[in-house]
Amino acid sequence: MNVLANKGYRVMALVVGKEASAMEIVGLVGLYDKPRKDSAKLIARLRSLGISVKMLTGDSLPIAKQMTQEVGLGDKVTRMADVESTASQDALFAAEVVDKSDGFAEIYPEGKYRIVKGVQAEKHVVGMTGDGINDAAALKQAEVGIAVSNATDVAKGSASVVLTEEGLSNVVNLVVTGRMIYQRILTWIFNKDC
């Protein structure tokens, strides 16, 4: 099972038997959730715009590491339980761990919220993408909560932006347009006759 997990597969055991004490494993099924083809390109583009990208997932550590490597994020993936135990001992070191991690594994919805709050406490502006009810609190907390086009109504209601096309490639357009508007507002303020 570990061999499959280390390749990014979730593993389901097939068992037979009439009673729990007499169950016999007859096979394993590897389930693979392939990343979108444009993920690596999107991450590279966001990084070229000076944006740090991190993955937050409920998947196990081996699966999360495989996914971050496949999409070009790196291999510094931290279990959320490790972040929480470090935070209870040394909050500054925990903030450093969060900052240097490429992703977080085995994370629950409240962990996503805590990661967003922790990054904001370090004076970073946070954008968060999500699609489910489990992402709602973190989407609402982030300065830019981004719900994907097929997100649940709760996620869309919690987000400040809802993408209208499938995938995340429009996030780049969102960043570029937002920066352009910000620059125009600054230019107008500085050039306004008072």
Side-chain angles (χ1 to χ4, degrees):
M1 284 201 292
N2 287 338
V3 172
L4 290 172
N6 288 333
K7 291 181 180 178
Y9 289 86
R10 291 174 188 86
V11 181
M12 182 171 57
L14 300 173
V15 298
V16 294
K18 295 188 186 247
E19 295 183 25
S21 62
M23 294 284 182
E24 179 184 349
I25 295 178
V26 294
L28 300 173
V29 176
L31 305 171
Y32 183 66
D33 190 10
K34 188 175 182 176
R36 292 181 56 88
K37 290 180 183 179
D38 61 348
S39 297
K41 185 174 150 185
L42 170 67
I43 290 166
R45 179 71 173 119
L46 288 170
R47 284 183 167 168
S48 75
L49 292 169
I51 297 172
S52 173
V53 181
K54 300 183 184 305
M55 180 183 75
L56 284 68
T57 181
D59 287 333
S60 67
L61 185 62
I63 293 171
K65 281 187 174 184
Q66 180 65 29
M67 287 297 119
T68 56
Q69 289 172 356
E70 282 187 36
V71 299
L73 274 174
D75 61 355
K76 295 181 210 136
V77 181
T78 308
R79 282 186 176 97
M80 189 60 193
D82 296 338
V83 173
E84 290 169 344
S85 67
T86 304
S88 66
Q89 298 166 8
D90 185 349
L92 287 175
F93 182 68
E96 188 177 316
V97 168
V98 168
D99 194 44
K100 291 185 177 179
S101 292
D102 298 316
F104 302 92
E106 302 167 14
I107 191 167
Y108 293 108
E110 62 272 13
K112 293 177 182 182
Y113 175 80
R114 283 198 294 274
I115 292 289
V116 170
K117 288 282 283 184
V119 173
Q120 288 172 326
E122 293 297 309
K123 307 296 185 214
H124 295 291
V125 175
V126 178
M128 165 84 184
T129 62
D131 64 355
I133 294 170
N134 61 338
D135 298 317
L139 287 169
K140 189 162 189 71
Q141 179 60 41
E143 282 87 356
V144 184
I146 305 166
V148 297
S149 62
N150 61 347
T152 63
D153 289 341
V154 173
K156 288 178 179 178
S158 300
S160 50
V161 174
V162 178
L163 300 178
T164 57
E165 295 178 15
E166 187 178 325
L168 294 172
S169 59
N170 281 327
V171 171
V172 172
N173 297 337
L174 179 69
V175 170
V176 170
T177 302
R179 287 179 176 179
M180 191 170 60
I181 291 169
Y182 177 76
Q183 185 59 50
R184 286 181 180 169
I185 290 171
L186 277 181
T187 302
W188 182 81
I189 290 170
F190 289 138
N191 290 323
K192 183 169 178 5
D193 287 334
C194 295

